[in-house]
Amino acid sequence: VIQCSAAIDIVLLLDGSYSIGKGSFERSKHFSMKMVDSLDINPDRVQIGVIQYSSKAILEFALNIYPTREEMKKAIKNIYFRGGSTDTGRAIKYVLRKGYRGGRKETPKILILLTDGKSQDNIMASAALAKKSGIKLFAVGIKHPKWEVLHRVASNPSELYVFFAEQYDDAVNGLVTTLTQTSVCNDIHPTCKVVSHYCLRTTIEAHREYQGNHVCWKSKGKGLHGGPMASMCPYYG
């Protein structure tokens, strides 16, 4: 798992509704703990807060509560499934009002939404408000996601901001890769010297060559008891 080190404030917004169910909610928590392993958790570097939502949003813990990786993973593990309806739009508005308390000024803000995309309220308007405020919005699908909704909710280009929670390592690496590509965080240790190299692009052409003949089945002979008819067929490599 690649690492990300930077001063960033991340809010995890976990769908805890009945449409997700307890099993998928536990997988969301597992993804979250995997993600914590890839981040430099430190009061001066990466801070994470967690909000669980269903019919209402509840702040599980704020950004500045857990200063170490182990404390944070233990806190995420202890979050219990609440259940309820799926009001994702209202939950995103809650994040805008209260989610970044304990955060730092002039620090990039990241929102990671873990859901199946099946909201019972207006998710698009709330997501647009979040993105307009400067928040980078990742949409991580769980259970059986509505991908078309997640791609509309996420920041652009959406292919860099939409992942599948079931594929833990791929999703976490993809998320961290997007953060490094957009200069939000750096995966290079500060003592390393960075040297740029041009990529060599090559094109491979495939050629179809005649290899010879082989015996092949053609058809069934005429009549009730007609045997199969064989012939010679060309084959290629």
Side-chain angles (χ1 to χ4, degrees), residues 3 7 21 31 39 54 93 102 114 136 155 158 165 174 177 198 215 235:
Q3 301 284 313
F31 167 85
L39 300 171
S54 52
K93 288 181 180 178
L114 288 104
K136 292 293 184 183
S155 293
S158 64
T177 297
Y198 288 105
V215 177
Y235 69 93

Side-chain angles (χ1 to χ4, degrees), residues 136-137 151 154-162 178 182:
K136 292 293 184 183
L137 204 165
H151 277 276
S155 293
N156 288 318
S158 64
E159 59 267 19
L160 295 180
Y161 291 89
V162 176
T178 297
T182 53

